[in-house]
Amino acid sequence: MLAGILLDGGIKLELSNPKETPYLTMTQKWFEKVGVECSISDDFKKIEVKQNKNLKAFTTTIPSDWEGVVFPLVAGLLSESGSKITIENIDGSGTQGDDAIVKILQSVGGRIVWDKEKFTITVEPSRLTTENLPDKTLRVKMSPFPDAICALAVAACFTEGTTILEDAAVCRRKETDRIKVLKIELSKLGAEVEEKEDALIIHGHAPFLANGGKNPEFVLHGGLCESYMDHRMAMSLACLGIGLPKGESVIVKDAECCSVSFPKFFEVMRGIGCSFEELDVISMNL
């Protein structure tokens, strides 16, 4: 789409099975701001970008990345500290499909308040459960925001009930095959995970029962995990460590890869009560 701006006659694209469609819409909206003509069919299968070689420089503010927001958001839900966390500079423009993460987590009991006027999200530790959902199952169609699968899979491990992250085949073509490696790494830590060609099914348990007592079925524990040099895997596995019982920790190999999209990840996580130690690996626990 970007290349079409400078091509003689522009460009026409035909997609057979479009995924991650919110990003196509986001690109179109940016084109509109700078005067580039772009049309996208309702089914996202046909895209046309008109040539425009007269673009002018402009000054703007790039909205915060929702895929960065999701990690402190999940960490805030899983923390046993009882403290509220406020995340600032939240993009409420609606141009990022990933903002659906808020409603997804709220649907399983996540205590999250999004103040769109103040551009903040406040989150506090929550008992997550699918009991109020149809069939007591959380179903999330991942194709609009596949980069969230790692963080949502971790949250699902702490959610009482079954979570199905479906329409997720595109997640196999990221920095690594995220469906496959999530199955491997989460299973190492005691999670009950099923891998399907197009989905990840997680049978999770909340650390505490509805009456506040400890849940005997919660068996997640620490361990040594591979990041596969995938920044989202590294950050998600680090977040999992936050929800483990005291004395348990997750060790993430090659965790420095998180700097690809979140250069100050560990500094931010330390600021919300996490501790980590740099060895040959990064160990994180609360």
Side-chain angles (χ1 to χ4, degrees):
M1 291 173 71
L2 290 168
I5 297 174
L6 298 179
L7 292 176
D8 291 337
I11 194 169
K12 292 182 180 180
L13 304 172
E14 291 190 8
L15 308 180
S16 59
N17 186 23
K19 302 292 183 181
E20 303 185 68
T21 54
Y23 299 108
L24 302 178
T25 301
M26 184 192 305
T27 304
Q28 182 186 36
K29 289 184 178 297
W30 275 101
F31 282 177
E32 291 173 353
K33 288 182 179 181
V34 298
V36 173
E37 292 185 51
C38 174
S39 63
I40 301 178
S41 63
D42 291 341
D43 60 5
F44 292 95
K45 290 188 175 182
K46 293 185 178 181
I47 301 172
E48 182 175 3
V49 179
K50 297 292 184 66
Q51 178 188 21
N52 188 330
K53 295 186 178 181
N54 298 311
L55 295 181
K56 296 181 180 179
F58 61 95
T59 299
T60 191
T61 298
I62 303 298
S64 59
D65 182 5
W66 267 94
E67 286 302 335
V69 173
V70 68
F71 297 108
L73 182 60
V74 168
L77 292 174
L78 303 185
S79 172
E80 295 184 3
S81 68
S83 300
K84 292 183 179 180
I85 295 170
T86 298
I87 308 170
E88 301 178 333
N89 302 315
I90 297 296
D91 175 25
S93 66
T95 58
Q96 298 184 58
D98 313 65
D99 61 12
I101 293 166
V102 171
K103 288 186 177 180
I104 292 168
L105 294 174
Q106 287 174 331
S107 75
V108 291
R111 292 187 284 182
I112 303 168
V113 178
W114 182 359
D115 189 328
K116 294 187 178 182
E117 293 185 359
K118 295 182 179 180
F119 307 104
T120 62
I121 280 181
T122 301
V123 56
E124 56 185 302
S126 308
R127 180 179 184 273
L128 306 179
T129 176
T130 64
E131 61 187 359
N132 295 319
L133 298 177
D135 299 324
K136 295 185 178 181
T137 299
L138 174 62
R139 291 180 175 272
V140 183
K141 184 178 180 180
M142 295 306 308
S143 62
F145 43 93
D147 286 339
I149 192 171
C150 299
L152 288 178
V154 165
C157 291
F158 293 84
T159 301
E160 191 68 33
T162 298
T163 297
I164 302 176
L165 305 176
E166 55 193 359
D167 191 17
V170 66
C171 300
R172 293 189 182 276
R173 301 192 294 274
K174 295 294 182 175
E175 284 82 343
T176 186
D177 181 341
R178 288 176 176 162
I179 293 179
K180 177 180 178 180
V181 301
L182 280 167
K183 157 71 174 174
I184 294 171
E185 301 307 316
L186 295 178
S187 296
K188 285 182 183 178
L189 304 177
E192 186 179 349
V193 184
E194 297 180 54
E195 176 189 354
K196 303 296 183 182
E197 183 61 31
D198 196 27
L200 198 68
I201 302 174
I202 300 168
H203 305 284
H205 295 288
F208 297 94
L209 301 171
N211 63 10
K214 289 189 176 181
N215 186 353
E217 295 189 26
F218 180 80
V219 295
L220 288 180
H221 54 77
L224 175 63
C225 293
E226 300 284 345
S227 69
Y228 303 86
M229 295 301 292
D230 181 343
H231 53 132
R232 302 201 195 283
M233 281 294 296
M235 292 185 284
S236 298
L237 291 168
C239 285
L240 189 148
I242 296 166
L244 294 179
K246 288 185 179 180
E248 297 283 350
S249 62
V250 172
I251 301 172
V252 185
K253 295 177 65 176
D254 300 313
E256 67 274 12
C257 65
C258 68
S259 63
V260 168
S261 60
F262 203 147
K264 295 184 178 181
F265 174 75
F266 292 108
E267 288 89 337
V268 170
M269 300 304 283
R270 183 190 289 124
I272 60 175
C274 305
S275 64
F276 63 90
E277 180 181 359
E278 185 174 356
L279 304 169
D280 293 329
V281 292
I282 295 293
S283 174
M284 289 199 62
N285 65 299
L286 191 62

